[in-house]
Every structure is written in structure tokens, then in C-alpha cells.
Amino acid sequence: MATATPPVEMRPNIPSATIRLPAVKDYEQVDREIIGTLKPTLGWFAALMTAIVCLLIGVSAWFYQVYAGLGVAGYHPPVMWGVYIITFVFWVGIGHAGTLISAILYLFRAGFRTSIYRCAEAMTVFAVMTAGLFPILHLGRPWKFFWLIPYPNWRLLWPQFKSPLVWDVFAILTYLTVSSTFLYIGLIPDIATLRDKETNPVRKAIYGAMSLGWRNSDREWRHFTRAYLFLAAFSTPLVLSVHSVVSFDFAMALTPGWHATIFPPYFVAGAIFSGIGMVFTIIIPIRKFFNLKHYVTLNDLDAAAKMCLFTSLVVGLAYLTEFQIAWMSGNQFEKDYFWNRLFGQWAWAAWIMLICNMVLPLSLFSQKLRRNPTWLFILSIFINIGMWFERFVIVVPSLSHEFEPWQWGSYAPTWVDYAILLGSFGWFFMWFLLFIKQLPVMAISELKEVLPPRVKTAGGGGH
Amino acid sequence: MPGLVGAFHELDSTVNAIGDLRRNKFNEFTVYSPLPRHELEHAIEAPPSRVRIFTLVGGICGATFGYWIAIWASRYWPLVVGGKAVATWVPYTIFGFEVMVLVGSLSTVFALFALSRVPRLTMTVGYDERFSQGHFGIFVETAAERAKEAAELLKKHGAVEVRHEA
Amino acid sequence: MTQRRKWTAIPGLLLLAVGAVALSAYSGASSSQNNSPVQPIAFPHPLHAAGNLNMNCLYCHNTANKSPDPGLPAVSTCMGCHLIVRADKPEIQKLAKYYAMGAGTPVPWVRIHKVPDYVRFPHMRHVNAGVTCQSCHGPVQQMTQVYQYSSLNMGWCVNCHVNGYDPREGLKATGVVDTSTTVTPDAERKRARYDCASCHY
Amino acid sequence: MIDSPEGAKPGVRRREFLKVLGVGAAASASACDAFQDNAGKLIPYLVSPDQTVPGVSTYFASVCRECSAACGIIAETRDGRVIKLEGNPEHPLNHGALCARGQSAVQGLYNPDRFRTPMIKTAGAWKAATWDEAIALLSAKIVEQKSKAGAAVFLNQHEGGSFPSFLDSWLSSMGMRPHVSVDFEADHAAIEANKRSYGVAWPELAFGQAKLIVSFGADFLDGWGSSVQHQLDFADARAKGAAAPRFVYIGARRSLTGLNADQWISCTPGSELAIVNFLQGRGTAQAAATASGATAESLTALAREIATAKPSLLVAGGRGENGLDVALGVAALNRSAGNVGVTIRSADAVLGFEGISKQGDLSAAVERMRGGNVGIAFVRGPNPAYSMASSAKFAEAFAKVAFKVSFSLYPDETTEMCDLILPDLHSLEQWGDSEPVKGTLGLQQPAMDPVYKGSRSAADVLMAVAKKDAAAASRFPQPDYRSWLIARVPGNTATRSTMFAKGLGSGNITRREMPAPSATQSATAAAATGDYFLVTYPSPTLGDGRGANKPWLQELPDPVTKVLWSSWVELHPETAAKLHVERGDVLEVTTSAGTVRAPALPYLGIRPDTVAIALGQGHSSPSQPTYHDGKDTSVQWGYGRYSRSVGINANALLSGATNSGGGSIATGKCSVTKTAEKVQVPTTEGSARQHGRGIAQAMHVSEIGRPPAEEVGHGKIPGAASHEFLPGLRSPVAADAQGELGAPSAKNQGTQLGMYDPNHPLGMAKRRWAMTVDLARCTGCSACVTACYAENNIPTVGAPWQNGVVYAEKRPGFNITRGREMNWLRLERYYEGADDGAFTENFEARFIPMMCQHCGNAPCEPVCPVFATYHAPDGLNVQVYNRCVGTRYCSNNCPYKVRYFNWFGYGEPDRIQYAFPEPLNWQLNPDVTVRGKGVMEKCTMCVQRIREAENRAALEKREVAADEFTTACAAACPSRAIVFGDAADESWTIQAHIGSERAYHVFEELNTYTAVVYLKKINHTTKAAAAGEAR
């Protein structure tokens, strides 16, 4: 009795993923190779220790600052914000690329996303975790930070909801929650795989708990795909909103150089730009040291580099637009300020920013360089530096050169600022390094989706 | 309820097996696969997921709460700042939006857990570790008298192994 | 199926946790409430402020109606009576000792009611507004050893400033029996400024 | 050796009470420690003192002894401690105003470096002693030195009143010669000239009557004579607008007075005489011009002006070699111009300046000591070891004296050389009197018990010594100086009691008859060499150095250069360029007398051929050469922790020669060389230019009454006041600053607005507190700044030990170089003109006090996440310290940059940065929270005074009356430039000013609706000058 089952088309699950992973044969290979990366190495351990040491330096510097007072940092009124806020914006920015890649590209079904998104997403979560610290440790009285959170209390007082800082609290907390949830949900099936391949009973138990007893059943997959889609849909507007809100910290003030409507788009573009920079910084060593070159192919890097180039162009446009607005505004304060930015006291910072973020990325117009991991890595370092200085240029010169000439000032960070900055990198990389050896750096189940499934006979059907 | 589980190596044979099972009135079965495949979903013809309802409701509640808390708190102790109105809806849109996203996505996750019955404390019958790696699997819940028939059916479709589960 | 019940256990626990947090948010009572230190001299308020003496608070705390500071009785005020009255009692002799050493130390009473240093509490404004001492300090006339009666936290202050002080409640606090159950009309309640800068500067 | 300060006379026991409660409430008060010291102690009075209600201020009228003028002060005491000084409104000299130095007297009173007990030096080591020991020792020594008694020297800080005669009679009873009444700040030449020409030491200068004011280097606004009185009168004159006198300043350097002039005629130091001669008709303008370096045109113009503008007022300062001749010449000019009796009134002369001994007498005494036949010397007040020109070699002469007694309160240089220290009482602790003007008595009565029971009134000590000697005892029957004094006060007990109340009475004090002045030394001036003229001048803030141990004065920027906690060498930018010197390059200035090293400070207002250095800094101690570390509790030699090793002492450059007027010569020639060293000069100045931002605006006198010409395009000054609305005072009593919702017609009143509703039953929004500042009056003297520090417990942050702990650099003013000064009210000084830095006489300085503007649309408010700053219904922009979490966003968003952050725990006693080391914290205002670490603070418009007035009114069951009270800055201002009041009530004075045609807001275009209204400065420049000067 011949059965007429509909023929099954044997294509990868993701339609638009025309790219293939030629060097990857079957599901088992994916499991083997990805899970293989989890074995700790000496180099990894050394890196982790370095990160932790940096973190400790930062932490002790912060304790000292809390004890002695904020004066030990380099604040120099009228520059009331400094390295901490700069670094805060820097890390929030880093976060964005992760969400962009994992969420937006997911909705767009961009194939090259598959191999890099897990790293990017983890990077997001840890970057936001890092950023979240700074608003607290830059406070004069950090032990009172919880007053910014609306909760019923016996003072009968609530936060001042018109303040951009309260907006920040909501934006950052939401972003942290959603992105970490998103990361975890995506991880569940992979953890299940780890669980099933694990032999050590203890680790098996831990993985078991973390996988929440996931079984890959049809029902689970059915809801999973839905939920994942909606989470992606939720994260997408966050990518745009969070950094817009952060930009309001500046745009809502009337300080010359801050008070500009261009800030939200400008910040978002900058954020994604810096994020992709950081993705390169992270993924390129990983594909090298974990031997995953055949997963993160040059095509993937090429595609990401194109995004990097694009965002760089947007950011560059924003820079120029700022000057043009100031020039045409007829507003004396603005004019003075932007002149000062380019040729005044802070010219050096401005030029670092322009060269790193505007000029160097232009090299990506050449396909050769786009497909050259070494160059991408070097460039990404420049981008990170450049983006840090972008925030420096926004924060410090504006404040040091405000309306009141009598109160014009200068700014010079102290060792405390630098120690805490260093600590933030320690904190970030500590988490990230822990992550890459405990959990798969690539989405196993999604990689499987890219592969053509195993079939008995082309055209299918029984016999 | 007892049943038997069959492990498959290929996708198409799994699909065919599912089709055959349903034609032979074996309706109590669970399909395991290391990755989501549309082919399987089509073969099973399961109803669409209800996650979206939770998402919608969560989102709406969130947005309302966001606006409400901001406006209520501002009016609770009306202090004028910068000569602005006490409760200003424009900036409060930010809270509406953020809380919408927050509650919306959390309720989505809740829905995922609730509907697909995770987290669960025990591994259930009919699961095999291969199903999270390379193999597809079908667990058929059936009375002992039809077990043989089911086993036959699975084997016919090329199950690499068929095991009886107590 | 059995799995279902097992499955519901965890969310249940989560819900409990949330409830606990929500509750703890409301635990706002001040730490210093009800603290009742032992004083260098066991001064019996009931003996003086109640009973047949029934002295007015202002007799000893004589600046409460003209200064932000209620003032404490000078030791000479006490000795005014106690040179003769009950001069044999041990506590009085302690007092006499303080008084005797002319250049010596006055009585180091232990402070009980204290608002933080960034809060201005002008006693005279409240006293002259007719707020009875007991409405804040509690039934001192019955306290053998004085303790902090009110929480003195901000919500406690603001409640009265906004919702108003009910003179009849205040009188009840002093021990006046008021059997009528009618609520005080809103007009009779005494309200006060609730602008932050009225107290914080 | 320092015992805890205490010790009241038996009887009134205030100290115990306040020591505990007071300090518990004030000093430890900080926004941070909520309930921490809950278990404080409450200490009642043992016997309750008369007239003292705990928590309510008591006021004592007394006399200020910070300079010779002896203004009247009112000391506000709380619980027995002085917490604030203000001028006595009824006093004929200062009419209620008080200068920065007067304000700071409390920091002299509570100075942590005061001597706690008498001290005796044995074998070079100091040890504390009891009074009995000390007095016994003193009388023993006096007996021992009887033989040489005739040669004994008593140097007394000059003061008017009865004490000098008391002192003389004591000295004579001991067979000693009359004392030398020293005042290093006195302008002896001017005094001498006044005596010869007008018959009095210091006639009243009636600026108000003059049509023209010409000053020949007489800095009557920065400490020359009775400067508060001068300033009051000068400001009144200048405020008359079109009728105001023009003011021409002649000198080598533009001092604060010079910067207030409409025209500066720069001449080389000492060449004023040439100009005076020309004005007297001797010699041609050209000759005078060549001699003085001024332009002939300006001189002829001046001559013409003096001839036409009658009456005029010409004043001359005589610190130069020919000071006396200049002063006499000017006096002659006055006489010929008919000013005597009109603008120069001998009738109501300032008597405080009578009886100052000539510099010659002092030098004579020094020479006697050098001669070695002086057995015993006393010093009460002056500090000649510091204040005398180094080439006078006071130290080595003084060392020759067998036994040296100091009555000083502070461990100054002279005292360190003495053998016996008998710490005197501070003028706020002891009895005294003065005769400010003829027929008026000023009574100096103690405002509180002595801070240290170890200190004792010098007068009482002298009487005690006298009583040990039968002969002398008979001269002093009274038990103590107080009764001696009261016995002299005319009138009966009734008049006296009123006198105690007002601190003033009528009557005369029979003055000591001055000993014959000893022959002045022929000026031992070595032939002046060097390529630059040198000008030294007493600092307007530190005086001759007496102020240097008071943190308020160290933290008060010099009104001209805005430098603080430092010394500096002023030179013109042109000169700096010539020497390749930049601001902060350490220069070595050398004269025949000595050498000093100080950082360079280019300054527009000085001739290119001249450099200037201020006196007052550079106190030092051989035994403790370095800075105080903030912890050391031993005696702080070098005039205390706040002054030791800060800056340099320019007296080292002076020849010590005295001019014919008997004053030491403060000018000379010097050579300047650049050194490799470079330092950061602590200053509060950011940019000295307005960059056309219209912060301090001015109008030419000719524009008064004319509607402002409609400026268009680039000519428009941002912030030029528009007169369409009542400036800034559309009371933001509602949800929008324009106050529509506040208007009686407003909809939804009392619903959502609550307290902002003007018809709210509690009437919180009834008032709109506001302030006007008249820039035509403001002279930039900065008295308001110190008044603000005193009233609001503002910490000083410049002390060397007050910066961070680990990386910190121990350098005076380090925090200031990081811009962390806390001056709620700062005095900005902007230059107009001379943009290219080339030398010109035609540049203008504009002073503008900048404090929180209490905007209706305050940018700082909406950015605060926790409502720590918000808008109060009575128009104040409130900062709630204890709610502040320290995001500092408000400061970022404040266009006026008037918010200040507590970078360290300046208010926390256990920290090294603590700004009020015991007993300075006794001065803390109990009505103002002492801010803790990490919170923002700013001008509150003295909200505590507002509340106090409201409380008082409520107590008396009435409304607050118009002008019933005012802010600390307004109360102190000797120019009466600041007016505070309720803009929503016509009966307050402020209303008149708000309507003025000169009214404007700073940064009005930012739409902040400030509550502070400035009135434009009025310039009286001649057309020629006006051309050269930027608007």
C-alpha cells in the first residue's frame, strides 16, 4: 500500500540563509565542535585572572572613593560629570549591537547572524551589566541610589518622573531584563543538548536545572519559536529606545553642545557602531582560538563589516551636522562651544574621535580589508577608543565651556577615575570569559537549522 | 500511560511516520527533534501557539501601568519643577513604552513556560538523550494491545530503534 | 497528569517571593520608636504632670511656646520646691547633689525625642497652634519612664500637615474624656504647610 | 597642652549647656547622618541665665576692633555663643554695614590656634602656666628691671577710646614711658597732612556732595581709612545717576578703588607730586606728563575739570617717598577749590585715627631695643616681626630685650620671640569703648564668656600687676577694668543701661596726650636700583596680615585679581610678554632690601614699568617651616595653621625708610627675573571676559532716561533687559512660570496645584521672594561673600590639608585650583576693553555678585531625579540637602553655575577635610544644616531668615511686615547694592528697584525668569575714553 506523503523539501530551515557552512557536515559535528570549545585552557584561565585583578583594582578604588568622597576623582567644576558618565554611555552603546544582531537580524532572517549572535548577545548583557554600575558609582551618595526607583515608602515621596535620569533607570533596567531573558531563552535548547551529552553527574544536574527540563518536544518547540519571535520583536524597539533615552540625559539639558534634537538618532547609530566594533574585538579571537573559522566564515565578517561601515557613515554625518547646525544657529553659545571643540582646549580629543570613527572605517570600502580579520580586529580597537572619546567630547568640553565665562574650567581625571574605568573592563571580561567556557558560544540548535537535514532519499517517501 | 518510543535518523522518515501514525488513529504521541522543523509542525498539524495572547495582554497592561504610576506619583505630591506641568504625558510616554516592553516580554516568557510546561522537575518517559542531538523521536502513548502494531509502523518507516516505555 | 502538578510548584514559590517583597516595601517604621533610655534621675512625670499636682508642661519646659526649643527646667527650678519637699528621697538627693556642686555638672538627661539635624521643628509654632504636647509625645503624664511615643518619621509629620490636626483628638490624648462619636468637621482641622522648605533648610 | 575649651565665670553657666547641645545640634548636623547621634545629651542650665531663651538669638551691641575706624557691630548670640556679626544700624560710621574683615572677627574669636593658657618660655621651650605663676613672674621681672624701666617699650595695636590713657597711666605708675600706638595700615602721610591742613587726623569725606572725585593713589574703598563709611557714601553718590560725580583715579596701579573709577590716569609711583604741582599751576602739563608718564591731554583735561566741577573731592594716599608733599598739595587744591567744609568736613571727623604713633616712634623704640638697654618689652596686638620692613631688622633688635611679654591671642611671629605669653581676651569677650565721631561713645561689651578660661583681659592683668605694688595700686582702686571704664562713662545708670542696649551713647573720651614724636630717622633708603617700579599695598582682605589666620579671609578672593590662598606678583601683560612670563611662572623680585619669589599674574591695571605685590601673606615660623597637616594639636607658630607658609611676605622688599609724613615707604625700584619654577595660582576666575554675553551690563550716563536704542543684528547684547514685563517676577506660583494658573482667574485652582494656588488657605504662594543688585552701587568689595559664608555655614576648602587623602597634593588652595570653592555668592569681575592686552588706561572693570537666581523656570529642577531641588510656592528654588543623592545634573544644567557640590566631608568633624575645627564650629549657624559629603548646595536666599521672620510674625499674631528682615549679603553690603524683598507686595522697597529702567536679567534669553534683577552699571566715561572702550 503505497502512501502518498507530501514530498519534503530538503532545504535549510532559514529560507534567506543562502550562505552555507560547507565545512560542517551534520548535527553531530556541530555538537562535537561547539561543545568541544568548553574545555578550559590555560590561556583562558590566565585571561580570566587578569580580568579579575583589574576588577579588584576598580573595586578598591571605588571603596576608597565612597569613603573619602567624590573629590578624589578628577571632577573640576563646572565639569560635574566625567569619566564615569562617559564610560556609562560607552558601555550602554556597546550593548546595542548585540541586540541588533540577535533580534533585528533575526526578524530579517539575515543568515550571517547565526554564527555570531550568541556571543553578541552575551556581550550585550554583560555590557549593560557594566553600564548599569556607573550611574550608581558616580553618585555623591551612592548608598541612596534606590531613591530613583519608585516604591512606596514612609517619606511619601516618589521619584521625579520628568528627570531623564529616572528615564534612564527604567530604560536600563528594562533593557537588562529583556536582553538577559532573550539570551537565556535562546540558550535553553542548547543547555538541554549539553545536559544530554554531559557525563559528569554534577554538571549534568546543573545543566538539567538550567535547561528547566527541556525535552525538544513538538509542543515546546511550537511555543518556543513563537515566544522567541515576540521577544525579538520586543527587543527591536529597545535597540532604538534605550540609547535615545540615554541621549536625553544630554539633549534635555540646555548646555551648549548637548541641547540638540539630533542626539537620539546620532546616539543610536553611534551605539550600534561601537557595538559592532566590540563584536569584532570579541568574535575574531574566538573564531581563531576556538578553531571555529568554518562557522564564522569570511562571508559573515564581510557582512558585519558592511554594517560597521554603514553606521560609521551615519555617525560621521551626525558629527558634521552638529557643526553645521551650530554654524547656522546664530546662537552664540553654540558657536563658541563648537569652535572650542575643534580648535580650543579639547581639540585633541575631538580629532581622535573624528579620525577613529569617521576616517579609519572608510577603509572598509575595500572588500579585501573587509575580509581581512586582522585588519578588522585592529580597526575594532580604534573604534572602541574613538567611541569612548566621542562621549568624552560630548561630556567634558560642553561642561567646561558653558554659558558663564567666569566659571569656565578644565578637567583632568585622577588615578581613581582610571582605576574604575579599568575595573569596568575587568568586570565585563570576567563575565564574558566565564560565559564562553560554561555555555556554547554559538547557538547549537540554530546552527543545526542552517544545515540541510539528513534525509533517506531525495524526494522522500516510503518504499 | 505506557507507550513506545522510536528514534529516527532522517527527517523525512520521521515526517512520514507521523503521517502514518495519525492515519492509523494513533493520536496520543509526542515528537522530539533537536531543532524546530516546519515539516514536523505541518505533519502534526498542531493548533497555533497561544503565546501571542499573553504577549498582547502583558503589553497592554504594562503600557497602562507605566503611564499610571508616573502620572499618579506626580500628582500624589504636586511639586512644580522648572515651571512644567505637574503631570506631563509626553515624557511619561517613555515609561509607558518601557514598562510595556518589560511586562510584555516577561509575560511572553511566562506564557512560554506555562504553555510548554517548563520548568519541570523530572524528565518524563519517552525521552531519549539523542533527541537533543542528531535524532528525531516519536513517543506513542498506546494501550498494550496496539503496541505491537505501532512498533511495526515505526519500524516500517525506518526507526533506528523502537523501545517500549513503562 | 502528574507532571503538571510538579510543574506548578516552582511558579508558586516565585509568587510567594514577590508577595514578600511587596510587603517589605511598606515596613517604614522608625528604628528609634519606643526607645526608653534610663535617665540619671528617675524623674516621675506622672507624679508631677498628673494626679493632684497636675502641673502644666510649660511650667518646666517653659520655652516650648516661645522658642523652637522646648527648654528644660533649670535645676534651680526643681530645687525651688525640692529644697523642702521630699528632700529625703534618694532621687531628690541625687538632684541635690547636682545642685550642690555649684560649679559642678548639671543633670545630663538622656535625649529621647530627636528629629534629624536637617529638620527644623519649631515647637512654638505647634504649641501656639494648639497642638497638645501629648499628640506627639504621647501620654507623658502616665509614663513612669518616658519613651519615644511617635515614629517621628516624615510620613508621620506630613500626614498631620496635609490632613490636618484634629483638636479633639489632641484633647483626648491629654486624657480628656470625649464620648461623642461625631467626626470633626473638615473646617476645624488645623492644616499646615507641606512645602519641603518649611522644615528642610 | 591644649585643654578642652570651656570655663565660664561662676554664676552664669552658659557654656556647659551649649557645648553639648549646641555642638550636638550644629556641628554634627549634616545632611547625611539621619538618626545617628540619637542618644545625644540634653544639658539644662544649672541656674537659668537672664535674657537667654534657648534656641532664640540674643543681640549685643559692641565695637569692631579689626581696624582703627572702630565701626559699631551687633553680635548675634545663640545659647551664649556669638554666631554672626552685623553692623550697628545706628552707628554714625557704618550705619549697619560691615566689611569682610569685620565679619571675620568671629573667626578670630573662635580661632583654633588661640592660646588656651598663659605660657612661659624656659630654656627656649614653651610650657603652659597658671595665671598666678604668670602674673607673679611678670611683676617679678618688672621689679627686676625697675632700673631700666624708663627704657621699657610697650607696643600696642592702635585703638581709640579709653584704653590708651589707661595704659599710659599704668605705664607711668610703673615708671615706664608712654606706649607706642602702632597701626601698620595707617597712612601716616595722609594723616599728617590732614592734621596740618584740616586740624584732624581723618575728616569726613562727603563723596555725596562732590561733583568730581579725584584720588591720587588713595584707595578709600580697600582699607584706606574708614573704608566702610567711605563706601556707603561713595555708593550713594554713584547711585545718583546723571547727578553722580565722575571719579578719576591717579596711580601706577588700579586698585579696587581704581577699578571703580571712570578714568584712570596712570603715572609712575611717586610722580603724583608732579601732577599735583601742575594742577596747582606750577609747571606745564607737558612737564608733568613727562615726569609722570601720563598724557598731557588727560592732565589738562583734568585741570579743566577740577576748575569747573565744584565742589569736588580730592584725596591723596601717601605711601610714596614724597607722600606728605602730595597730600599737602592735594589739600591745598581742595582749599583753593573751596571743598574744605563742603566735601571735607573736619567737624564730624573719624576720631579712630587720632593718636596713632608715627612710624618714627616705632623705629625709635626698635633702635632703643637694638641699643640693648631695654630690659622689658610688651607687645599687645601688633606683629612687628612680620609687619615691619625686614631691613628694619626688628627681630634682632627685639632679641636684645631681656624680657619680652606678649598679650597676643595668636601664635604670631613676634610672640614666638617673647618669653611670656599672657593671652588677651578677644574684643568680643572684653570691655572697651571708642569715640567714632565727636560726641558719640561706642561701647565695646563682651558678647559672650571667654572661649578659653585660660585667656584674660590684658587690662585686668595689668591692674592685677599694679595691685602687687603699693604705689601703683593706689592709682587703680577699681576691682577690674570694667568698673574702671564704667566709672569714666558719663551719665547716670539709666543712660548707661540704654547705652548697653544700643552700644552707643553720647559723650567724649578724654584722649591720652601724645608723647612728643621722636625725631624721624633720615630715610635710610639705599639708592633705589632696578628696572621696574615696585608697589606694595596692604591686601584689601588680609590688611597688613592680621587677617591671614582667618579661613574666611584666606578663602575670599582678592577683589582685584581674584587670587586666594596665595601671593602673586602683578605685572602688565606687555611686561609679561617682554619677560616671556606666563601666569604662574615664579618670578624673583629683588630690591636693595631683599628678595621674594612669587608666581606672576598678568594684570591689565598696572603700568608696564611697574610690578605690584600685596602684603598680608607669608607668615612663617622658624620652628615650624611647613604647612599644618590638619591633625597636629601643638601650638601653630607662624600665626596659625591657616596662614603659616602661605604665600610670601613682601615687607622683605621694603627699605624700612619712612617718608616725611612718618609713614613707611611702600614703593621703590626692583629687578624682576624669571625662574624655572611654575605653579598654579589659585583663583576663582574662569574667563575675565564676558564674550559679549551681557552678564554684567552697563550704560553710559548719557543714556539714562532715553529709551534703549533698538539694537539690531550683531550689536544686540544677549540678555539686554526688555521692559515689557515686570522683570522676572511673573510669580511661578503655578504649573507654569508665567503664572497663568496662579492668576486668580485660573481654572482648576487648588485642585492639582495645591500649595501653588495663591488662594490656598495656607497662603504658601502669597509671596514671591526676590532680589535686586544695583551694579551702579556695587564696588566689588566682597563683604557680601564673607557675610554669606558666615550666615550659611559654608565650608572653606582651600587649606593645604583639605584635599583628597591618598593622591593629594598638600598645597594651599589646591581645591580652588580644581574649581571646588563653595562660594554660594561669588563676585565676578569682568574686563571691558583692552582686548589685545596692549597697555591702555581705557579699560573698564565690571563687578557683579552672582548667586542662585531662583529662576521661575529653573533648569536645575526638572533634571533632578528625586525632587531634591524644586520650586517652592513662595518663589524660592529650594535645595533639600537630605534628599540629594548627588547626581550633580542640576549643576550641569544651571546656566549661572551657582550650585556647589560637597566633594569631601567638609561638614563632618571626623574627617581631615573638616572646615570647622573646634572651636570654629561654635560659630556655625544653628538654623542652617551643615552639609555632609556628596550633596549639592547653593544660595537659599537665607530661607532660614525667612522662616524666622515668619515664626516671629506668627508668634506675634501678625503678617511679616515690609522690609522686616533681609538676607545676610544685603545686610552686610557697605554699598547698599543688594535689596531683598517680596516682589508680590508693593509695600516692600524692592518694588521700586524692579521697575527701574536699568533693570535686566542675566541670560534672559534662556527664559529662566530669574528672581534676581540686576540694575545696569552707570559709566561716566568721557567720550574719548568711551570710544576706546567696548560696550
Side-chain angles (χ1 to χ4, degrees), chain A residues 78 80-81 255 258 399 402, chain D residues 888-894 897:
Chain A
M80 290 281 192
W81 284 356
T255 311
W258 286 8
L399 292 175
E402 259 202 66
Chain D
R888 308 184 298 293
Y889 199 172
C890 51
S891 171
N892 287 346
N893 212 24
C894 172
K897 287 279 165 280

Side-chain angles (χ1 to χ4, degrees), chain C residues 137-152:
Chain C
H137 292 280
V140 179
Q141 71 276 14
Q142 297 158 16
M143 300 181 188
T144 40
Q145 177 168 317
V146 180
Y147 58 89
Q148 181 178 332
Y149 174 77
S150 314
S151 73
L152 297 188

Side-chain angles (χ1 to χ4, degrees), chain A residues 113-134:
Chain A
R113 153 192 186 273
T114 315
S115 51
I116 56 173
Y117 92 92
R118 173 64 48 77
C119 275
E121 216 172 10
M123 177 190 79
T124 298
V125 174
F126 301 140
V128 177
M129 273 166 58
T130 318
L133 301 176
F134 279 88

Side-chain angles (χ1 to χ4, degrees), chain C residues 65-118:
Chain C
N65 62 347
K66 48 179 181 288
S67 159
D69 189 327
L72 283 168
V75 182
S76 56
T77 316
C78 313
M79 294 310 284
C81 301
H82 284 295
L83 273 175
I84 307 95
V85 184
R86 303 264 172 97
D88 52 340
K89 294 272 181 298
E91 293 299 312
I92 305 295
Q93 279 159 352
K94 275 195 215 162
L95 177 67
K97 205 155 21 15
Y98 283 111
Y99 188 62
M101 23 181 181
T105 54
V107 191
W109 300 108
V110 183
R111 183 164 196 166
I112 297 172
H113 290 83
K114 181 176 186 303
V115 290
D117 299 310
Y118 47 74

